[in-house]
Amino acid sequence: MPVNRDQVLHEAMRLLDDEGLDALTLRALAARLGVQAPTLYWHVKNKAALLDALADAIMDEAIAAIPAPAQDGDGREWLLAALSQLRAAMLRHRDGARIVSGARYSMRRADFSELAMATLVDRGTDLHHARLLVLAGERYTVGFVLEEQSPAPDAPDVDIAALQARFPVATRAITEYFTAGHTADDLYRDIARLVLNLPDETR
């Protein structure tokens, strides 16, 4: 039974979500679709093109969820909202950040950057600063999710008291932050506000 490009990409995303990026091969994808691997080349010329298409699909999700910018303000709060949607879109897919970070030719990722920069510039940010803000925000967000989606290592056999003695300031900072009821989502937003030079809402 013939397949079209949309079916190929849909099944590729399902394979990614089910088994992860390392299991995503053209041979495995062809087997799930019930076709021979060469059939896929009519729709994606190689694995790199497939990964770029998946990155575009993840970026489509992010862009579709971005709220309209407010009429007032300089756009940085809006940029934080846009970056939060990027994080959410990557988290919805297993290894989503690895897909997006490796997509060198994703036009939708470029569309995200263009929209973000244009919104800042339209609200008075000079082009140079707008580019740096967007670049910093995007790279921070992708890096944060890469760490979130990394497999948890086996718990080391460590002496907690010794760690607390060696890193007293870090231990106190982490303990105070999370015992106050903060979550990983709060941590993402609080650091993003620092990256974007927005007021610290935890104080």
Side-chain angles (χ1 to χ4, degrees), residues 102-127:
R104 304 301 183 189
Y105 301 104
S106 167
M107 292 298 100
R108 292 301 276 158
R109 186 171 179 183
D111 285 336
F112 182 97
S113 301
E114 177 73 12
L115 173 62
M117 284 188 283
T119 300
L120 294 178
V121 169
D122 286 347
R123 282 154 180 75
T125 303
D126 70 85
L127 180 61

mmCIF file with all atom_site columns, all heavy atoms in Angstrom, residues 102-127:
data_model
loop_
_atom_site.group_PDB
_atom_site.id
_atom_site.type_symbol
_atom_site.label_atom_id
_atom_site.label_alt_id
_atom_site.label_comp_id
_atom_site.label_asym_id
_atom_site.label_entity_id
_atom_site.label_seq_id
_atom_site.pdbx_PDB_ins_code
_atom_site.Cartn_x
_atom_site.Cartn_y
_atom_site.Cartn_z
_atom_site.occupancy
_atom_site.B_iso_or_equiv
_atom_site.pdbx_formal_charge
_atom_site.auth_seq_id
_atom_site.auth_comp_id
_atom_site.auth_asym_id
_atom_site.auth_atom_id
_atom_site.pdbx_PDB_model_num
ATOM 1   N N   . GLY A 1 102 ? 19.652 19.551 16.764 1.00 0.00 ? 102 GLY A N   1
ATOM 2   C CA  . GLY A 1 102 ? 20.419 19.046 15.622 1.00 0.00 ? 102 GLY A CA  1
ATOM 3   C C   . GLY A 1 102 ? 19.892 19.467 14.278 1.00 0.00 ? 102 GLY A C   1
ATOM 4   O O   . GLY A 1 102 ? 20.472 19.119 13.246 1.00 0.00 ? 102 GLY A O   1
ATOM 5   N N   . ALA A 1 103 ? 18.805 20.242 14.264 1.00 0.00 ? 103 ALA A N   1
ATOM 6   C CA  . ALA A 1 103 ? 18.159 20.617 12.995 1.00 0.00 ? 103 ALA A CA  1
ATOM 7   C C   . ALA A 1 103 ? 18.813 21.865 12.424 1.00 0.00 ? 103 ALA A C   1
ATOM 8   O O   . ALA A 1 103 ? 18.385 22.983 12.690 1.00 0.00 ? 103 ALA A O   1
ATOM 9   C CB  . ALA A 1 103 ? 16.671 20.837 13.212 1.00 0.00 ? 103 ALA A CB  1
ATOM 10  N N   . ARG A 1 104 ? 19.845 21.663 11.645 1.00 0.00 ? 104 ARG A N   1
ATOM 11  C CA  . ARG A 1 104 ? 20.586 22.812 11.095 1.00 0.00 ? 104 ARG A CA  1
ATOM 12  C C   . ARG A 1 104 ? 19.815 23.527 9.995  1.00 0.00 ? 104 ARG A C   1
ATOM 13  O O   . ARG A 1 104 ? 20.061 24.704 9.720  1.00 0.00 ? 104 ARG A O   1
ATOM 14  C CB  . ARG A 1 104 ? 21.928 22.336 10.525 1.00 0.00 ? 104 ARG A CB  1
ATOM 15  C CG  . ARG A 1 104 ? 22.805 21.593 11.526 1.00 0.00 ? 104 ARG A CG  1
ATOM 16  C CD  . ARG A 1 104 ? 23.127 22.441 12.728 1.00 0.00 ? 104 ARG A CD  1
ATOM 17  N NE  . ARG A 1 104 ? 24.015 21.744 13.654 1.00 0.00 ? 104 ARG A NE  1
ATOM 18  C CZ  . ARG A 1 104 ? 24.314 22.204 14.869 1.00 0.00 ? 104 ARG A CZ  1
ATOM 19  N NH1 . ARG A 1 104 ? 23.792 23.328 15.292 1.00 0.00 ? 104 ARG A NH1 1
ATOM 20  N NH2 . ARG A 1 104 ? 25.126 21.519 15.651 1.00 0.00 ? 104 ARG A NH2 1
ATOM 21  N N   . TYR A 1 105 ? 18.900 22.831 9.352  1.00 0.00 ? 105 TYR A N   1
ATOM 22  C CA  . TYR A 1 105 ? 18.195 23.432 8.218  1.00 0.00 ? 105 TYR A CA  1
ATOM 23  C C   . TYR A 1 105 ? 16.685 23.451 8.434  1.00 0.00 ? 105 TYR A C   1
ATOM 24  O O   . TYR A 1 105 ? 15.913 23.389 7.483  1.00 0.00 ? 105 TYR A O   1
ATOM 25  C CB  . TYR A 1 105 ? 18.542 22.677 6.932  1.00 0.00 ? 105 TYR A CB  1
ATOM 26  C CG  . TYR A 1 105 ? 20.023 22.700 6.637  1.00 0.00 ? 105 TYR A CG  1
ATOM 27  C CD1 . TYR A 1 105 ? 20.820 21.579 6.870  1.00 0.00 ? 105 TYR A CD1 1
ATOM 28  C CD2 . TYR A 1 105 ? 20.642 23.860 6.175  1.00 0.00 ? 105 TYR A CD2 1
ATOM 29  C CE1 . TYR A 1 105 ? 22.189 21.609 6.633  1.00 0.00 ? 105 TYR A CE1 1
ATOM 30  C CE2 . TYR A 1 105 ? 22.007 23.899 5.932  1.00 0.00 ? 105 TYR A CE2 1
ATOM 31  C CZ  . TYR A 1 105 ? 22.765 22.763 6.171  1.00 0.00 ? 105 TYR A CZ  1
ATOM 32  O OH  . TYR A 1 105 ? 24.123 22.805 5.946  1.00 0.00 ? 105 TYR A OH  1
ATOM 33  N N   . SER A 1 106 ? 16.250 23.554 9.696  1.00 0.00 ? 106 SER A N   1
ATOM 34  C CA  . SER A 1 106 ? 14.825 23.647 9.996  1.00 0.00 ? 106 SER A CA  1
ATOM 35  C C   . SER A 1 106 ? 14.344 25.060 9.713  1.00 0.00 ? 106 SER A C   1
ATOM 36  O O   . SER A 1 106 ? 14.713 26.012 10.409 1.00 0.00 ? 106 SER A O   1
ATOM 37  C CB  . SER A 1 106 ? 14.553 23.285 11.462 1.00 0.00 ? 106 SER A CB  1
ATOM 38  O OG  . SER A 1 106 ? 13.247 23.661 11.830 1.00 0.00 ? 106 SER A OG  1
ATOM 39  N N   . MET A 1 107 ? 13.511 25.196 8.682  1.00 0.00 ? 107 MET A N   1
ATOM 40  C CA  . MET A 1 107 ? 12.980 26.512 8.350  1.00 0.00 ? 107 MET A CA  1
ATOM 41  C C   . MET A 1 107 ? 12.019 27.018 9.416  1.00 0.00 ? 107 MET A C   1
ATOM 42  O O   . MET A 1 107 ? 11.906 28.218 9.658  1.00 0.00 ? 107 MET A O   1
ATOM 43  C CB  . MET A 1 107 ? 12.283 26.466 6.986  1.00 0.00 ? 107 MET A CB  1
ATOM 44  C CG  . MET A 1 107 ? 13.209 26.246 5.803  1.00 0.00 ? 107 MET A CG  1
ATOM 45  S SD  . MET A 1 107 ? 14.437 27.591 5.582  1.00 0.00 ? 107 MET A SD  1
ATOM 46  C CE  . MET A 1 107 ? 15.901 26.847 6.321  1.00 0.00 ? 107 MET A CE  1
ATOM 47  N N   . ARG A 1 108 ? 11.317 26.109 10.088 1.00 0.00 ? 108 ARG A N   1
ATOM 48  C CA  . ARG A 1 108 ? 10.382 26.540 11.125 1.00 0.00 ? 108 ARG A CA  1
ATOM 49  C C   . ARG A 1 108 ? 11.131 27.043 12.355 1.00 0.00 ? 108 ARG A C   1
ATOM 50  O O   . ARG A 1 108 ? 10.646 27.941 13.055 1.00 0.00 ? 108 ARG A O   1
ATOM 51  C CB  . ARG A 1 108 ? 9.428  25.401 11.481 1.00 0.00 ? 108 ARG A CB  1
ATOM 52  C CG  . ARG A 1 108 ? 8.487  25.052 10.365 1.00 0.00 ? 108 ARG A CG  1
ATOM 53  C CD  . ARG A 1 108 ? 7.628  26.248 9.964  1.00 0.00 ? 108 ARG A CD  1
ATOM 54  N NE  . ARG A 1 108 ? 6.462  26.392 10.823 1.00 0.00 ? 108 ARG A NE  1
ATOM 55  C CZ  . ARG A 1 108 ? 5.787  27.532 10.992 1.00 0.00 ? 108 ARG A CZ  1
ATOM 56  N NH1 . ARG A 1 108 ? 6.192  28.641 10.409 1.00 0.00 ? 108 ARG A NH1 1
ATOM 57  N NH2 . ARG A 1 108 ? 4.725  27.575 11.766 1.00 0.00 ? 108 ARG A NH2 1
ATOM 58  N N   . ARG A 1 109 ? 12.296 26.492 12.634 1.00 0.00 ? 109 ARG A N   1
ATOM 59  C CA  . ARG A 1 109 ? 13.093 27.056 13.727 1.00 0.00 ? 109 ARG A CA  1
ATOM 60  C C   . ARG A 1 109 ? 13.537 28.472 13.359 1.00 0.00 ? 109 ARG A C   1
ATOM 61  O O   . ARG A 1 109 ? 13.520 29.369 14.202 1.00 0.00 ? 109 ARG A O   1
ATOM 62  C CB  . ARG A 1 109 ? 14.300 26.161 14.010 1.00 0.00 ? 109 ARG A CB  1
ATOM 63  C CG  . ARG A 1 109 ? 15.087 26.615 15.223 1.00 0.00 ? 109 ARG A CG  1
ATOM 64  C CD  . ARG A 1 109 ? 16.161 25.634 15.647 1.00 0.00 ? 109 ARG A CD  1
ATOM 65  N NE  . ARG A 1 109 ? 16.884 26.149 16.794 1.00 0.00 ? 109 ARG A NE  1
ATOM 66  C CZ  . ARG A 1 109 ? 17.922 25.547 17.361 1.00 0.00 ? 109 ARG A CZ  1
ATOM 67  N NH1 . ARG A 1 109 ? 18.345 24.392 16.889 1.00 0.00 ? 109 ARG A NH1 1
ATOM 68  N NH2 . ARG A 1 109 ? 18.527 26.091 18.398 1.00 0.00 ? 109 ARG A NH2 1
ATOM 69  N N   . ALA A 1 110 ? 13.878 28.674 12.111 1.00 0.00 ? 110 ALA A N   1
ATOM 70  C CA  . ALA A 1 110 ? 14.234 30.013 11.653 1.00 0.00 ? 110 ALA A CA  1
ATOM 71  C C   . ALA A 1 110 ? 13.028 30.947 11.718 1.00 0.00 ? 110 ALA A C   1
ATOM 72  O O   . ALA A 1 110 ? 13.156 32.133 12.049 1.00 0.00 ? 110 ALA A O   1
ATOM 73  C CB  . ALA A 1 110 ? 14.788 29.950 10.234 1.00 0.00 ? 110 ALA A CB  1
ATOM 74  N N   . ASP A 1 111 ? 11.845 30.413 11.407 1.00 0.00 ? 111 ASP A N   1
ATOM 75  C CA  . ASP A 1 111 ? 10.629 31.222 11.509 1.00 0.00 ? 111 ASP A CA  1
ATOM 76  C C   . ASP A 1 111 ? 10.399 31.677 12.950 1.00 0.00 ? 111 ASP A C   1
ATOM 77  O O   . ASP A 1 111 ? 9.976  32.823 13.187 1.00 0.00 ? 111 ASP A O   1
ATOM 78  C CB  . ASP A 1 111 ? 9.409  30.413 11.047 1.00 0.00 ? 111 ASP A CB  1
ATOM 79  C CG  . ASP A 1 111 ? 9.341  30.245 9.540  1.00 0.00 ? 111 ASP A CG  1
ATOM 80  O OD1 . ASP A 1 111 ? 9.913  31.073 8.809  1.00 0.00 ? 111 ASP A OD1 1
ATOM 81  O OD2 . ASP A 1 111 ? 8.697  29.282 9.087  1.00 0.00 ? 111 ASP A OD2 1
ATOM 82  N N   . PHE A 1 112 ? 10.642 30.800 13.901 1.00 0.00 ? 112 PHE A N   1
ATOM 83  C CA  . PHE A 1 112 ? 10.502 31.153 15.316 1.00 0.00 ? 112 PHE A CA  1
ATOM 84  C C   . PHE A 1 112 ? 11.435 32.305 15.663 1.00 0.00 ? 112 PHE A C   1
ATOM 85  O O   . PHE A 1 112 ? 11.029 33.296 16.288 1.00 0.00 ? 112 PHE A O   1
ATOM 86  C CB  . PHE A 1 112 ? 10.810 29.935 16.184 1.00 0.00 ? 112 PHE A CB  1
ATOM 87  C CG  . PHE A 1 112 ? 10.643 30.167 17.665 1.00 0.00 ? 112 PHE A CG  1
ATOM 88  C CD1 . PHE A 1 112 ? 9.473  29.807 18.305 1.00 0.00 ? 112 PHE A CD1 1
ATOM 89  C CD2 . PHE A 1 112 ? 11.667 30.723 18.417 1.00 0.00 ? 112 PHE A CD2 1
ATOM 90  C CE1 . PHE A 1 112 ? 9.317  30.016 19.676 1.00 0.00 ? 112 PHE A CE1 1
ATOM 91  C CE2 . PHE A 1 112 ? 11.525 30.941 19.780 1.00 0.00 ? 112 PHE A CE2 1
ATOM 92  C CZ  . PHE A 1 112 ? 10.347 30.582 20.421 1.00 0.00 ? 112 PHE A CZ  1
ATOM 93  N N   . SER A 1 113 ? 12.689 32.197 15.255 1.00 0.00 ? 113 SER A N   1
ATOM 94  C CA  . SER A 1 113 ? 13.674 33.243 15.541 1.00 0.00 ? 113 SER A CA  1
ATOM 95  C C   . SER A 1 113 ? 13.288 34.560 14.876 1.00 0.00 ? 113 SER A C   1
ATOM 96  O O   . SER A 1 113 ? 13.405 35.637 15.482 1.00 0.00 ? 113 SER A O   1
ATOM 97  C CB  . SER A 1 113 ? 15.060 32.804 15.067 1.00 0.00 ? 113 SER A CB  1
ATOM 98  O OG  . SER A 1 113 ? 15.469 31.618 15.695 1.00 0.00 ? 113 SER A OG  1
ATOM 99  N N   . GLU A 1 114 ? 12.842 34.484 13.635 1.00 0.00 ? 114 GLU A N   1
ATOM 100 C CA  . GLU A 1 114 ? 12.441 35.689 12.909 1.00 0.00 ? 114 GLU A CA  1
ATOM 101 C C   . GLU A 1 114 ? 11.274 36.387 13.600 1.00 0.00 ? 114 GLU A C   1
ATOM 102 O O   . GLU A 1 114 ? 11.277 37.609 13.789 1.00 0.00 ? 114 GLU A O   1
ATOM 103 C CB  . GLU A 1 114 ? 12.050 35.313 11.474 1.00 0.00 ? 114 GLU A CB  1
ATOM 104 C CG  . GLU A 1 114 ? 11.544 36.461 10.622 1.00 0.00 ? 114 GLU A CG  1
ATOM 105 C CD  . GLU A 1 114 ? 12.635 37.433 10.187 1.00 0.00 ? 114 GLU A CD  1
ATOM 106 O OE1 . GLU A 1 114 ? 13.832 37.112 10.343 1.00 0.00 ? 114 GLU A OE1 1
ATOM 107 O OE2 . GLU A 1 114 ? 12.284 38.520 9.686  1.00 0.00 ? 114 GLU A OE2 1
ATOM 108 N N   . LEU A 1 115 ? 10.269 35.604 13.986 1.00 0.00 ? 115 LEU A N   1
ATOM 109 C CA  . LEU A 1 115 ? 9.113  36.169 14.678 1.00 0.00 ? 115 LEU A CA  1
ATOM 110 C C   . LEU A 1 115 ? 9.534  36.819 15.991 1.00 0.00 ? 115 LEU A C   1
ATOM 111 O O   . LEU A 1 115 ? 9.087  37.929 16.322 1.00 0.00 ? 115 LEU A O   1
ATOM 112 C CB  . LEU A 1 115 ? 8.089  35.065 14.937 1.00 0.00 ? 115 LEU A CB  1
ATOM 113 C CG  . LEU A 1 115 ? 6.877  35.434 15.805 1.00 0.00 ? 115 LEU A CG  1
ATOM 114 C CD1 . LEU A 1 115 ? 6.057  36.532 15.142 1.00 0.00 ? 115 LEU A CD1 1
ATOM 115 C CD2 . LEU A 1 115 ? 6.022  34.211 16.091 1.00 0.00 ? 115 LEU A CD2 1
ATOM 116 N N   . ALA A 1 116 ? 10.387 36.125 16.732 1.00 0.00 ? 116 ALA A N   1
ATOM 117 C CA  . ALA A 1 116 ? 10.819 36.654 18.027 1.00 0.00 ? 116 ALA A CA  1
ATOM 118 C C   . ALA A 1 116 ? 11.596 37.955 17.861 1.00 0.00 ? 116 ALA A C   1
ATOM 119 O O   . ALA A 1 116 ? 11.342 38.946 18.568 1.00 0.00 ? 116 ALA A O   1
ATOM 120 C CB  . ALA A 1 116 ? 11.661 35.612 18.754 1.00 0.00 ? 116 ALA A CB  1
ATOM 121 N N   . MET A 1 117 ? 12.548 37.972 16.944 1.00 0.00 ? 117 MET A N   1
ATOM 122 C CA  . MET A 1 117 ? 13.328 39.196 16.734 1.00 0.00 ? 117 MET A CA  1
ATOM 123 C C   . MET A 1 117 ? 12.458 40.337 16.234 1.00 0.00 ? 117 MET A C   1
ATOM 124 O O   . MET A 1 117 ? 12.570 41.480 16.701 1.00 0.00 ? 117 MET A O   1
ATOM 125 C CB  . MET A 1 117 ? 14.481 38.926 15.761 1.00 0.00 ? 117 MET A CB  1
ATOM 126 C CG  . MET A 1 117 ? 15.636 38.173 16.381 1.00 0.00 ? 117 MET A CG  1
ATOM 127 S SD  . MET A 1 117 ? 17.078 38.057 15.289 1.00 0.00 ? 117 MET A SD  1
ATOM 128 C CE  . MET A 1 117 ? 16.533 36.768 14.176 1.00 0.00 ? 117 MET A CE  1
ATOM 129 N N   . ALA A 1 118 ? 11.583 40.051 15.282 1.00 0.00 ? 118 ALA A N   1
ATOM 130 C CA  . ALA A 1 118 ? 10.727 41.097 14.723 1.00 0.00 ? 118 ALA A CA  1
ATOM 131 C C   . ALA A 1 118 ? 9.818  41.688 15.792 1.00 0.00 ? 118 ALA A C   1
ATOM 132 O O   . ALA A 1 118 ? 9.590  42.920 15.818 1.00 0.00 ? 118 ALA A O   1
ATOM 133 C CB  . ALA A 1 118 ? 9.892  40.528 13.574 1.00 0.00 ? 118 ALA A CB  1
ATOM 134 N N   . THR A 1 119 ? 9.316  40.849 16.683 1.00 0.00 ? 119 THR A N   1
ATOM 135 C CA  . THR A 1 119 ? 8.436  41.342 17.748 1.00 0.00 ? 119 THR A CA  1
ATOM 136 C C   . THR A 1 119 ? 9.193  42.276 18.684 1.00 0.00 ? 119 THR A C   1
ATOM 137 O O   . THR A 1 119 ? 8.675  43.326 19.088 1.00 0.00 ? 119 THR A O   1
ATOM 138 C CB  . THR A 1 119 ? 7.841  40.158 18.537 1.00 0.00 ? 119 THR A CB  1
ATOM 139 O OG1 . THR A 1 119 ? 7.090  39.333 17.635 1.00 0.00 ? 119 THR A OG1 1
ATOM 140 C CG2 . THR A 1 119 ? 6.928  40.643 19.645 1.00 0.00 ? 119 THR A CG2 1
ATOM 141 N N   . LEU A 1 120 ? 10.409 41.913 19.032 1.00 0.00 ? 120 LEU A N   1
ATOM 142 C CA  . LEU A 1 120 ? 11.216 42.783 19.894 1.00 0.00 ? 120 LEU A CA  1
ATOM 143 C C   . LEU A 1 120 ? 11.556 44.090 19.197 1.00 0.00 ? 120 LEU A C   1
ATOM 144 O O   . LEU A 1 120 ? 11.457 45.174 19.798 1.00 0.00 ? 120 LEU A O   1
ATOM 145 C CB  . LEU A 1 120 ? 12.494 42.057 20.314 1.00 0.00 ? 120 LEU A CB  1
ATOM 146 C CG  . LEU A 1 120 ? 12.342 40.839 21.223 1.00 0.00 ? 120 LEU A CG  1
ATOM 147 C CD1 . LEU A 1 120 ? 13.705 40.213 21.498 1.00 0.00 ? 120 LEU A CD1 1
ATOM 148 C CD2 . LEU A 1 120 ? 11.652 41.197 22.528 1.00 0.00 ? 120 LEU A CD2 1
ATOM 149 N N   . VAL A 1 121 ? 11.966 44.006 17.942 1.00 0.00 ? 121 VAL A N   1
ATOM 150 C CA  . VAL A 1 121 ? 12.338 45.212 17.197 1.00 0.00 ? 121 VAL A CA  1
ATOM 151 C C   . VAL A 1 121 ? 11.134 46.137 17.043 1.00 0.00 ? 121 VAL A C   1
ATOM 152 O O   . VAL A 1 121 ? 11.249 47.367 17.199 1.00 0.00 ? 121 VAL A O   1
ATOM 153 C CB  . VAL A 1 121 ? 12.930 44.832 15.826 1.00 0.00 ? 121 VAL A CB  1
ATOM 154 C CG1 . VAL A 1 121 ? 13.081 46.057 14.932 1.00 0.00 ? 121 VAL A CG1 1
ATOM 155 C CG2 . VAL A 1 121 ? 14.281 44.145 16.001 1.00 0.00 ? 121 VAL A CG2 1
ATOM 156 N N   . ASP A 1 122 ? 9.968  45.564 16.759 1.00 0.00 ? 122 ASP A N   1
ATOM 157 C CA  . ASP A 1 122 ? 8.757  46.377 16.619 1.00 0.00 ? 122 ASP A CA  1
ATOM 158 C C   . ASP A 1 122 ? 8.414  47.120 17.902 1.00 0.00 ? 122 ASP A C   1
ATOM 159 O O   . ASP A 1 122 ? 7.702  48.136 17.860 1.00 0.00 ? 122 ASP A O   1
ATOM 160 C CB  . ASP A 1 122 ? 7.562  45.495 16.228 1.00 0.00 ? 122 ASP A CB  1
ATOM 161 C CG  . ASP A 1 122 ? 7.616  45.039 14.782 1.00 0.00 ? 122 ASP A CG  1
ATOM 162 O OD1 . ASP A 1 122 ? 8.431  45.599 14.011 1.00 0.00 ? 122 ASP A OD1 1
ATOM 163 O OD2 . ASP A 1 122 ? 6.854  44.115 14.424 1.00 0.00 ? 122 ASP A OD2 1
ATOM 164 N N   . ARG A 1 123 ? 8.929  46.632 19.031 1.00 0.00 ? 123 ARG A N   1
ATOM 165 C CA  . ARG A 1 123 ? 8.626  47.261 20.317 1.00 0.00 ? 123 ARG A CA  1
ATOM 166 C C   . ARG A 1 123 ? 9.814  48.043 20.870 1.00 0.00 ? 123 ARG A C   1
ATOM 167 O O   . ARG A 1 123 ? 9.883  48.318 22.069 1.00 0.00 ? 123 ARG A O   1
ATOM 168 C CB  . ARG A 1 123 ? 8.131  46.200 21.308 1.00 0.00 ? 123 ARG A CB  1
ATOM 169 C CG  . ARG A 1 123 ? 6.688  45.850 21.033 1.00 0.00 ? 123 ARG A CG  1
ATOM 170 C CD  . ARG A 1 123 ? 6.295  44.462 21.483 1.00 0.00 ? 123 ARG A CD  1
ATOM 171 N NE  . ARG A 1 123 ? 4.883  44.229 21.158 1.00 0.00 ? 123 ARG A NE  1
ATOM 172 C CZ  . ARG A 1 123 ? 4.425  43.987 19.915 1.00 0.00 ? 123 ARG A CZ  1
ATOM 173 N NH1 . ARG A 1 123 ? 5.272  43.941 18.898 1.00 0.00 ? 123 ARG A NH1 1
ATOM 174 N NH2 . ARG A 1 123 ? 3.139  43.818 19.699 1.00 0.00 ? 123 ARG A NH2 1
ATOM 175 N N   . GLY A 1 124 ? 10.737 48.383 19.991 1.00 0.00 ? 124 GLY A N   1
ATOM 176 C CA  . GLY A 1 124 ? 11.773 49.337 20.361 1.00 0.00 ? 124 GLY A CA  1
ATOM 177 C C   . GLY A 1 124 ? 13.147 48.783 20.673 1.00 0.00 ? 124 GLY A C   1
ATOM 178 O O   . GLY A 1 124 ? 14.074 49.551 20.930 1.00 0.00 ? 124 GLY A O   1
ATOM 179 N N   . THR A 1 125 ? 13.322 47.464 20.653 1.00 0.00 ? 125 THR A N   1
ATOM 180 C CA  . THR A 1 125 ? 14.646 46.895 20.903 1.00 0.00 ? 125 THR A CA  1
ATOM 181 C C   . THR A 1 125 ? 15.484 47.013 19.638 1.00 0.00 ? 125 THR A C   1
ATOM 182 O O   . THR A 1 125 ? 15.003 46.716 18.550 1.00 0.00 ? 125 THR A O   1
ATOM 183 C CB  . THR A 1 125 ? 14.536 45.412 21.310 1.00 0.00 ? 125 THR A CB  1
ATOM 184 O OG1 . THR A 1 125 ? 13.689 45.301 22.457 1.00 0.00 ? 125 THR A OG1 1
ATOM 185 C CG2 . THR A 1 125 ? 15.896 44.822 21.629 1.00 0.00 ? 125 THR A CG2 1
ATOM 186 N N   . ASP A 1 126 ? 16.736 47.465 19.782 1.00 0.00 ? 126 ASP A N   1
ATOM 187 C CA  . ASP A 1 126 ? 17.572 47.556 18.581 1.00 0.00 ? 126 ASP A CA  1
ATOM 188 C C   . ASP A 1 126 ? 17.891 46.148 18.076 1.00 0.00 ? 126 ASP A C   1
ATOM 189 O O   . ASP A 1 126 ? 17.879 45.175 18.841 1.00 0.00 ? 126 ASP A O   1
ATOM 190 C CB  . ASP A 1 126 ? 18.852 48.347 18.861 1.00 0.00 ? 126 ASP A CB  1
ATOM 191 C CG  . ASP A 1 126 ? 19.824 47.604 19.767 1.00 0.00 ? 126 ASP A CG  1
ATOM 192 O OD1 . ASP A 1 126 ? 20.612 46.794 19.247 1.00 0.00 ? 126 ASP A OD1 1
ATOM 193 O OD2 . ASP A 1 126 ? 19.779 47.830 20.992 1.00 0.00 ? 126 ASP A OD2 1
ATOM 194 N N   . LEU A 1 127 ? 18.158 46.050 16.784 1.00 0.00 ? 127 LEU A N   1
ATOM 195 C CA  . LEU A 1 127 ? 18.296 44.753 16.125 1.00 0.00 ? 127 LEU A CA  1
ATOM 196 C C   . LEU A 1 127 ? 19.383 43.896 16.758 1.00 0.00 ? 127 LEU A C   1
ATOM 197 O O   . LEU A 1 127 ? 19.204 42.688 16.971 1.00 0.00 ? 127 LEU A O   1
ATOM 198 C CB  . LEU A 1 127 ? 18.574 44.956 14.634 1.00 0.00 ? 127 LEU A CB  1
ATOM 199 C CG  . LEU A 1 127 ? 18.744 43.691 13.797 1.00 0.00 ? 127 LEU A CG  1
ATOM 200 C CD1 . LEU A 1 127 ? 17.475 42.834 13.843 1.00 0.00 ? 127 LEU A CD1 1
ATOM 201 C CD2 . LEU A 1 127 ? 19.093 44.041 12.352 1.00 0.00 ? 127 LEU A CD2 1
#
